[in-house]
Amino acid sequence: MTAHVIADEAEALAVAGALADAFRAGAAERDAERRLPRAELDRLSASGLLAVTVPAEYGGADAGAPTLAEIFRLLGSADASLAQIPQSHFVYVNVIRRQGTEEQRKFFFAELLAGARLGNAQSEAGTKHVQDIRTRLELLSDGSYLLTGVKHYSTGALFADWIPVLARAEDDTLHVAYVPRDAPGLTVVDDWDGMGQRTTAGGTVRLDGVAVPADRVLPHHLTFQGPQLHGAVAQLLHAAIDVGIAGGALAQAAEFVRTKSRPWFESGVETAAEDPLLIQRFGELALSVRASEALLREAARAVDAARAGLTDESAAEASIAVAAAKVTAADAAVEVAGALFEVSGTRSALNSLNLHRHWRDARTHTLHDPTRWKIQHIGRYVLNGTLPPRHGLL
């Protein structure tokens, strides 16, 4: 596999904008037919975008959080399913950057610069809660491991080159095993049937005694033993997808009202776009989108500031800023995607138009983790100075 190497953040944003325009064209049809985006993912890999956070000393653009968030916002405005696929990719690139040895960094960063995709196998169904990980890493006498377990909601695993697997060692500490997609004993089942995010190329991952060399296992538990930005970066990208959904839905609603909607007869105007009540509602929706975009940018800047001087306090500031962005983004995505029908009128509900994909994507994606708990942590921080927890979801 070969890929273009992006030189800097300006080029990364230009490439992301061009890809978003290209992906937007077929997004509704892919969703309606549940046609998985293999060709689009290959194009994403070849573009070099998946390697933009590789550190400069390893040949990458070393893009910061504001650029990465904007990339995801652009992609999310075009196709929220496609945008979600690389979210875990960048999360597990961060794990390599923070916990990998020099040799592991050299190997995996070279893979990324060549266009390799990381999937994920982290969540499990039927356990006590989301952090009850039962997949096991069994240490063998030669220092290698056997990996056994079942994962669900494995976004991007179907078309990944490497699948990072969250698992617990015999001492119950959390590790990430980076497993080739074609490893013997690893099976990916295309069984995701969500009402939204239909084409995220995920499903069930089964691990039946998968052999893993020692140098493909990283000690993820060390990430949470000091100040960290693992959760803040992961949540920032989720927030960016939601902001993208909101902006994409607003743009499509405006286009529909300008070109297809009829004015209400009592308005006394010639076109729906002149209806003062619709103008008012679009103004309200635009405020919601603009607020979510502003908080996203602020959160991204807070992440970069914390990275430049990582302490418990700077990490907390970043986590709280991201939490605020995520809450606002989730609300905006659901509100604007639902209001699309309110402002556009009866015709917009036609199934053949598939305008409901925006709401289905928003409602499904915002279920990833509850914003009500983020509000709790914001309140505790503001009122009592309580630092947010280091559990990777904040």
Side-chain angles (χ1 to χ4, degrees):
M1 181 184 298
T2 58
H4 172 69
V5 176
I6 288 177
D8 53 34
E9 292 181 303
E11 183 185 5
L13 292 174
V15 170
L19 286 178
D21 289 341
F23 296 159
R24 184 177 291 108
E29 290 74 18
R30 284 192 298 273
D31 174 88
E33 300 169 8
R34 197 179 177 272
R35 189 171 75 246
L36 297 179
R38 179 187 293 273
E40 288 77 14
L41 284 174
D42 287 343
R43 186 170 177 180
L44 181 64
S45 291
S47 75
L49 272 187
L50 296 181
V52 293
T53 59
V54 170
E57 60 266 34
Y58 296 93
D62 205 7
T67 294
L68 192 59
E70 179 62 5
I71 288 169
F72 274 80
R73 188 196 69 80
L74 288 167
L75 295 176
S77 72
D79 184 338
S81 287
L82 189 51
Q84 189 178 340
I85 292 173
Q87 188 272 342
S88 56
H89 169 97
F90 283 101
V91 168
Y92 286 104
V93 172
N94 259 359
V95 174
I96 296 167
R97 185 169 184 159
R98 184 173 172 91
Q99 300 302 338
T101 65
E102 180 62 19
E103 289 305 311
Q104 287 171 327
R105 292 189 190 115
K106 285 180 179 178
F107 174 80
F108 279 111
F109 290 155
E111 287 280 292
L112 297 172
L113 288 167
R117 294 192 290 266
L118 306 182
N120 91 83
Q122 51 188 18
S123 295
E124 299 180 12
T127 56
K128 187 175 180 181
H129 51 69
V130 70
Q131 293 201 328
D132 181 14
I133 303 297
R134 300 181 183 180
T135 298
R136 309 305 296 189
L137 267 175
E138 178 188 354
L139 181 63
L140 302 180
S141 59
D142 64 358
S144 66
Y145 294 88
L146 278 183
L147 188 59
T148 303
V150 179
K151 299 289 188 175
H152 298 269
Y153 314 119
S154 301
T155 301
L158 277 167
F159 300 138
D161 299 293
W162 293 87
I163 301 179
V165 182
L166 275 184
R168 295 197 181 275
E170 293 174 355
D171 62 358
D172 214 36
T173 54
L174 196 62
H175 291 68
V176 180
Y178 289 74
V179 183
R181 168 68 179 83
D182 58 358
L186 186 154
T187 305
V188 182
V189 183
D190 179 17
D191 58 0
W192 168 243
D193 66 347
M195 69 172 182
Q197 301 296 89
R198 289 178 173 177
T199 61
T200 52
T204 299
V205 174
R206 300 187 181 280
L207 305 145
D208 299 314
V210 177
V212 185
D215 61 358
R216 297 294 178 262
V217 177
L218 279 70
H220 193 32
H221 60 101
L222 297 180
T223 300
F224 307 103
Q225 291 186 5
Q228 50 82 36
L229 297 170
H230 177 81
V233 171
Q235 290 292 306
L236 181 73
L237 302 187
H238 280 305
I241 294 169
D242 290 338
V243 174
I245 293 173
L250 183 62
Q252 191 147 26
E255 175 67 15
F256 195 94
V257 169
R258 284 193 298 264
T259 61
K260 296 182 176 64
S261 296
R262 297 183 297 178
W264 184 244
F265 70 94
E266 292 179 285
S267 68
V269 296
E270 292 297 316
T271 68
E274 298 172 282
D275 184 331
L277 298 183
L278 286 182
I279 290 171
Q280 175 73 20
R281 187 63 176 129
F282 268 97
E284 294 167 350
L285 296 174
L287 286 174
S288 180
V289 172
R290 283 173 175 262
S292 69
E293 291 172 345
L295 285 175
L296 180 69
R297 290 191 294 268
E298 178 184 313
R301 288 193 295 267
V303 168
D304 267 9
R307 184 176 283 128
L310 191 59
T311 64
D312 286 333
E313 289 71 25
S314 67
E317 285 285 347
S319 287
I320 293 300
V322 172
K326 181 67 167 62
V327 172
T328 306
D331 288 346
V334 173
E335 179 195 13
V336 178
L340 183 155
F341 303 98
E342 169 197 338
V343 297
S344 299
T346 305
R347 185 180 175 187
S348 65
L350 292 177
N351 196 56
S352 59
L353 297 177
N354 199 18
L355 295 177
H356 48 71
R357 73 179 175 91
H358 299 289
W359 184 87
R360 288 186 289 100
D361 285 343
R363 185 64 281 177
T364 302
H365 184 252
T366 55
L367 298 176
H368 183 273
D369 52 282
T371 56
R372 57 187 176 273
W373 275 99
K374 298 183 189 306
I375 295 171
Q376 280 283 310
H377 292 305
I378 294 170
R380 291 170 183 172
Y381 182 72
V382 170
L383 184 60
N384 298 316
T386 303
L387 301 186
R390 298 170 178 164
H391 53 40
L393 289 169
L394 196 69

